[in-house]
Amino acid sequence: MWYAHGDFLRPAEENEAKRVFRMKRKRRMMVLMAGVLLLAFAAGAQEEQGSKQDLPKLFARTEAMIPMRDGVKLHTEIYTPREAREPLPMLMIRTPYGVSGGPHAYSRFLNGDGHLYADGYIFVYQDIRGRYGSGGNFEMNRPVRDPKDPNGVDESTDTYDTIEWLVKNVPSNGGRVGIRGVSYDGFLAAMAMVNPHPALKAVSEQACMGDAWMGDDFFHNGAFRLSYGFEYAALMETTRENFTFQFNEFDLYNWYLRLGPLSNVNGMYFHGKLPTWNNFVTHPSYDDFWKIHAVESALKEATVPNLNVAGWWDQEDFYGPMRTYENLEKTDGKHLNYLVVGPWNHGGWAGGAGNTLGQIQFWSNTAEYFRKNVEAPWFAYWLHDKGSLPLKESLLFQTGSDTWTSFDAWPPLEAQKRNLYFAEGGKLSFEAPKNDGAEAIDSYISDPAHPVPYRHRPVDMTYPDDHPGGWYTWLVEDQRFVENRSDVLTWQTDDLREDVALAGQVTAKLFASTTGTDSDWVVKLIDVYPQKVENDWKLSGYELMIADEIFRGRYRRSYEKPEAITAGEVTPYVINLHTADHVFKKGHRIMVQVQSTWFPLYDRNPQRFVPNIFEAKDSDYQKATQRVYRSKAFPSSVEISVVPESAGH
């Protein structure tokens, strides 16, 4: 299927358009950002002295079509060090994004793995079924097979069969295998731990797509991630290779607004031909379809050492690795489950220095530190019996203080809960409200026709062809660009007289009402910098998001069974803003913002209850007056977890 400017091409134009498209695709970076920040691997390649032209001298390359138990063969590239003097372990990445840099070219992944060369590995890269050079059919986040089906296959069985073949057929291998990956590749690494092959000795799931409905790529608490879901479905399912939907304008805020209701997507563009989009339409709530696609539905216990890796400002998959770590920790009697979180966006640890993100500086090369001092020794310990473990349990970069912290458990057991209460005059206070009057409210009008943008306009494509777009750093954008909108409420503390060290859970507890019968609630916890920052003037007055989330009101009682909100009734909402490790420094302020749209990252709630928003009509979308209560009876707040400043060091 080919799209141009949002319309099908006429047959007479199709061949020429495809030729032009192929030429453009050749010029594109092979590391197209398809759900994983593959730009990081390219950046990493620039650091390594064994650069691309030296790879043929360092590694012997072979290709194999490895047979699976159902007869499907998967394209696999194997790189063996030429100077190897002893059997080596194998280190594998499985991916839907294409392993090869082109015919007879060395894999783009290998260029970013230079920090692992010295320990000695046979590197293995594989296209998963249905993608690029592999046979079979692709299924997004393929669920675990039915154990009653003897012929069933899934990503776990494909990994098992691959390892079985590698151990038996790759010369000079030592019988040990590790697997790692970021984003979708991280999902595949996590699934390798379901009924793992005996030779699998170490895993590092990094930013895995843990639960695509609950908090990762496609939905967050029921709110649909419109721009990402639309563009990613087209990217992955239009052809067997990455595909870029062709928009007819640069500012996609306008394009998605003119798109209208979600029902127009199939009516105007996809025409029912993309399975993932059809699944969005058919399964808008958290039913069994989404549950069986979630990692935790199959991965109940850590039986292989696993290094979970996440970034505090991961714009795609922060929920997945944190939830995977939390889930496995419940049964981790053998201490095989570990966690690293750094000041990174999606995959930002895989390449580059990691000393900045957007305008924010961290004053050390955090990504280099992770690769050389954590990831490399991690695999060396489990696959080579070399050295010692680089962490005891959890290693987290504390933003604000810009230091690495270590805890015996995450969230830390010593953390104490404190509430930041919404108060009169836009104040935020640790003191509970005493006013119980009816006037103790703040309100705004939410209009789906004029939604709040989630980042500075113009909003370009998620994965631009020829330039790094704002998608990669929007979570660290200065939030002053929406502060004065009439449909965004803001509360903030006075200048802090001492540091406030946040370590652990952040939870919004809203008491709110709406004149509609459905509503979204977006809550953002923000660090407000002083009005004069001596060492970096660009950060003077900067408003940096530390934690954030959206919640679709229809799911306040059940994610499985949505129900209308009673118009005008004060309704409590408990919204998980996840965990953070951050110091609000003395002289800074703490801010909370609340709004009801975040566009076009999330679709617009009609604010009138309909059974399925994917089938809503234009006439269903309406303005609504939103009220947030801050009285003694209805004390809206954000609960944070505070530890002594010395904790974790």
Side-chain angles (χ1 to χ4, degrees), residues 463-478:
Y463 304 123
D465 291 345
D466 54 2
H467 67 282
W471 173 250
Y472 310 118
T473 58
W474 73 267
L475 279 172
V476 295
E477 281 195 3
D478 189 343

Side-chain angles (χ1 to χ4, degrees), residues 53-290:
Q53 62 268 26
D54 298 324
L55 293 180
K57 297 179 181 178
L58 297 175
F59 296 94
R61 175 182 183 270
T62 58
E63 290 187 79
M65 295 297 293
I66 298 180
M68 302 294 103
R69 63 190 63 185
D70 63 345
V72 169
K73 295 182 178 180
L74 304 187
H75 172 246
T76 309
E77 297 185 2
I78 304 163
Y79 296 86
T80 303
R82 294 187 185 277
E83 300 298 325
R85 292 183 173 84
E86 60 184 5
L88 296 176
M90 292 179 281
L91 201 49
M92 178 165 59
I93 291 176
R94 304 183 67 243
T95 183
Y97 302 126
V99 301
S100 180
H104 311 299
Y106 274 51
S107 170
R108 55 183 171 76
F109 283 104
L110 193 60
N111 290 301
D113 285 343
H115 60 293
L116 300 165
Y117 292 172
D119 291 318
Y121 295 98
I122 299 169
F123 293 96
V124 179
Y125 309 111
Q126 183 179 74
D127 294 323
I128 65 172
R129 62 172 60 219
R131 294 290 290 170
Y132 285 83
S134 290
N137 297 317
F138 173 72
E139 180 179 349
M140 188 80 73
N141 290 95
R142 186 183 295 273
V144 173
R145 67 187 178 96
D146 183 349
K148 298 178 182 178
D149 180 5
N151 300 315
V153 295
D154 56 26
E155 300 300 352
S156 178
T157 64
D158 282 355
T159 306
Y160 190 105
D161 294 349
T162 298
I163 293 175
E164 180 76 4
W165 188 95
L166 291 170
V167 170
K168 292 180 178 179
N169 291 278
V170 175
S172 301
N173 83 82
R176 292 185 183 184
V177 179
I179 186 169
R180 72 200 201 285
V182 179
S183 193
Y184 203 120
D185 305 355
F187 162 77
L188 298 167
M191 295 303 288
M193 292 187 286
V194 179
N195 301 317
H197 191 282
L200 184 64
K201 300 300 182 182
V203 174
S204 181
E205 70 79 7
Q206 304 179 5
C208 77
M209 300 166 68
D211 192 322
W213 193 94
M214 193 61 72
D216 284 319
D217 296 76
F218 300 138
F219 294 82
H220 279 217
N221 297 313
F224 176 60
R225 283 162 60 94
L226 171 60
S227 56
Y228 190 86
F230 180 94
E231 295 173 50
Y232 194 73
L235 178 91
M236 297 296 287
E237 294 181 340
T238 302
T239 71
R240 294 176 69 88
E241 300 184 4
N242 293 342
F243 174 87
T244 302
F245 186 91
Q246 301 297 297
F247 294 96
N248 61 357
E249 63 181 284
F250 185 75
D251 189 354
L252 298 189
Y253 178 96
N254 285 333
W255 191 93
Y256 282 108
L257 197 58
R258 286 202 303 272
L259 173 67
L262 297 179
S263 57
N264 288 338
V265 171
N266 264 334
M268 299 169 64
Y269 301 113
F270 294 163
H271 305 293
K273 296 181 179 181
L274 299 189
T276 292
W277 187 270
N278 295 340
N279 288 330
F280 296 154
V281 176
T282 308
H283 304 281
S285 299
Y286 196 55
D287 59 13
D288 288 342
F289 173 85
W290 293 110

Side-chain angles (χ1 to χ4, degrees), residues 527-564:
D527 185 345
V528 182
Y529 283 62
Q531 292 304 305
K532 186 176 182 180
V533 177
E534 296 287 353
N535 60 350
D536 192 346
W537 64 268
K538 297 187 299 300
L539 296 182
S540 297
Y542 203 92
E543 296 179 3
L544 174 67
M545 280 197 296
I546 303 303
D548 60 89
E549 194 52 280
I550 188 171
F551 190 91
R552 183 143 286 176
R554 60 175 49 209
Y555 297 111
R556 67 200 179 280
R557 290 195 177 99
S558 169
Y559 288 120
E560 294 84 359
K561 297 178 180 179
E563 60 180 71

